[in-house]
Amino acid sequence: SYITNISSAHIKNFNSIDEIYQTKTYLYKSTNVNGISFINTDKILINKDKIKSKITTFGFNNKSDFNASILEKNNKYYLSINNKKIFIPKQLLHLKDTILAAYVIVRSLNINNKVLEDSIKSFNLPRGRGNIINYNNYMIIDDSYNANPASVKLAIKRINNIEIKGKKILVLGDMLELGNIELEAHKEISKIINSSTLDIIITYGTLTKKTHLNIIKSKYSFGSIWCISKKSPFIILVNVLLAISADLKS
C-alpha cells in the first residue's frame, strides 16, 4: 500500500484535516501482514506499531530506508537514492517524490530498474496535469484539471524554478470543496505568490478575490475578471489553474 500525500483537498467532505488523515492512513493499518506499506516519511507521520505489514520508508530527510537527493551535473538532473542515480528530465523535477516512490516499489518487487528508467524517459504529462504547450515565443503550463492548496503551491514552486527572459503570468480560479477553510486557504495562496518569481496574476472567481486583495502591488494582480460570464471561452481555457511563462520583452 502507498499513500501519495495527505492534504486539505476535498476537505468539504470531511469534518477536519485529522479526519482525512485517519481515513487515508487506515490503508496502512489494514494492509495484510504479508504485504508492504510504503511510507514517504517527508509527508506522512504514523505510529508504526499500528501497522501489521512490513514497512519500507523513503524520503529526502536522511531518516529512511531509501534516502534521496537531487543532483545536477552539466545541466542534467539525477535522483540519487542510496548512491544509485536515476536521470530525471528537467520538466519532471516537480514529480521527484512520485518518481522516488516508483523506484522504491520497483526495487521491492524485484523489477529491473531499466523498466522504470525507460518509463521516465518516455513519460508525457497528461493534458491539464502540468503539461507544457509551446506556442510561438510562449511556454504555457496547463495545470487546469483541478486545484487544491497543495497542488497550487506545487505549481507555483515549479514556476519559480523556471528561468526565462520574459514575464511569468499566473491565471488562477477558485479552489473548490474546501468547506469552512476556503477563505483562509485562498488568502494563504497570496502569501506564496508574494514570495514567488511570478510577475502578473489574474484571478477569476469569488473565492480568489481573497487571494487578489492580499497580493502585493509589485505583482500586478488583476481581479477585474471576477464578473466574466461562465460561458466565456476564456474560462474554458483557464478552468481552475493555468500557469503561463511568457517570453516577452520587459
Side-chain angles (χ1 to χ4, degrees):
S1 57
Y2 167 55
I3 300 172
T4 54
N5 65 71
I6 298 175
S7 72
S8 56
H10 311 297
I11 196 172
K12 182 181 179 180
N13 302 313
F14 298 84
N15 293 317
S16 65
I17 187 69
D18 182 64
E19 187 176 346
I20 295 177
Y21 171 86
Q22 296 298 335
T23 302
K24 284 198 170 186
T25 55
Y26 186 74
L27 176 66
Y28 288 142
K29 297 173 185 177
S30 60
T31 299
N32 188 281
V33 65
N34 296 318
I36 306 174
S37 293
F38 297 96
I39 302 177
N40 184 335
T41 53
D42 294 332
K43 297 181 178 295
I44 297 176
L45 298 176
I46 186 171
N47 185 346
K48 296 178 182 179
D49 293 336
K50 296 183 178 181
I51 300 176
K52 302 185 295 289
S53 68
K54 176 184 175 182
I55 298 174
T56 298
T57 60
F58 59 92
F60 290 84
N61 54 25
N62 293 320
K63 298 178 181 179
S64 306
D65 300 320
F66 291 87
N67 297 305
S69 61
I70 295 295
L71 303 178
E72 179 185 1
K73 185 176 182 180
N74 299 325
N75 206 30
K76 290 185 177 181
Y77 295 87
Y78 301 87
L79 184 62
S80 176
I81 311 164
N82 292 356
N83 297 320
K84 165 68 178 178
K85 291 197 303 183
I86 296 179
F87 171 73
I88 301 182
K90 189 174 183 179
Q91 69 271 19
L92 297 182
L93 272 177
H94 65 292
L95 298 178
K96 64 182 187 301
D97 289 293
T98 302
I99 295 173
L100 172 58
Y103 172 84
V104 172
I105 294 171
V106 163
R107 280 289 306 273
S108 298
L109 297 178
N110 294 317
I111 299 173
N112 193 301
N113 283 341
K114 191 175 185 304
V115 175
L116 174 63
E117 293 171 350
D118 289 344
S119 296
I120 294 172
K121 291 176 183 177
S122 62
F123 179 74
N124 291 311
L125 290 165
R127 291 178 60 183
R129 299 278 192 170
N131 59 300
I132 295 176
I133 303 169
N134 291 305
Y135 179 76
N136 293 335
N137 291 326
Y138 297 87
M139 179 173 70
I140 302 172
I141 301 176
D142 180 6
D143 205 350
S144 59
Y145 177 79
N146 199 354
N148 58 68
S151 67
V152 172
K153 291 174 184 177
L154 178 63
I156 294 173
K157 182 178 180 180
R158 182 185 179 191
I159 297 169
N160 285 340
N161 293 328
I162 297 176
E163 296 180 3
I164 61 163
K165 296 179 181 178
K167 305 295 183 184
K168 296 181 180 181
I169 306 170
L170 176 70
V171 181
L172 180 65
D174 288 348
M175 300 180 293
L176 305 179
E177 298 185 5
L178 295 178
N180 57 14
I181 71 164
E182 59 184 15
L183 293 179
E184 185 59 33
H186 283 80
K187 181 180 179 180
E188 184 68 23
I189 292 300
S190 65
K191 297 178 183 178
I192 306 298
I193 290 173
N194 289 340
S195 61
S196 72
T197 59
L198 288 164
D199 298 294
I200 300 171
I201 299 89
I202 302 173
T203 58
Y204 166 79
T206 55
L207 295 174
T208 52
K209 179 179 180 180
K210 194 72 172 178
T211 306
H212 165 70
L213 293 176
N214 286 279
I215 294 174
I216 56 179
K217 292 182 179 180
S218 62
K219 293 294 183 183
Y220 299 101
S221 175
F222 298 92
S224 58
I225 60 171
W226 300 329
C227 299
I228 288 182
S229 168
K230 290 184 179 179
K231 295 182 180 179
S232 167
F234 178 68
I235 301 309
I236 294 174
L237 176 64
V238 302
N239 191 10
V240 180
L241 174 66
L242 177 67
I244 306 175
S245 177
D247 190 14
L248 302 175
K249 294 181 178 178
S250 301

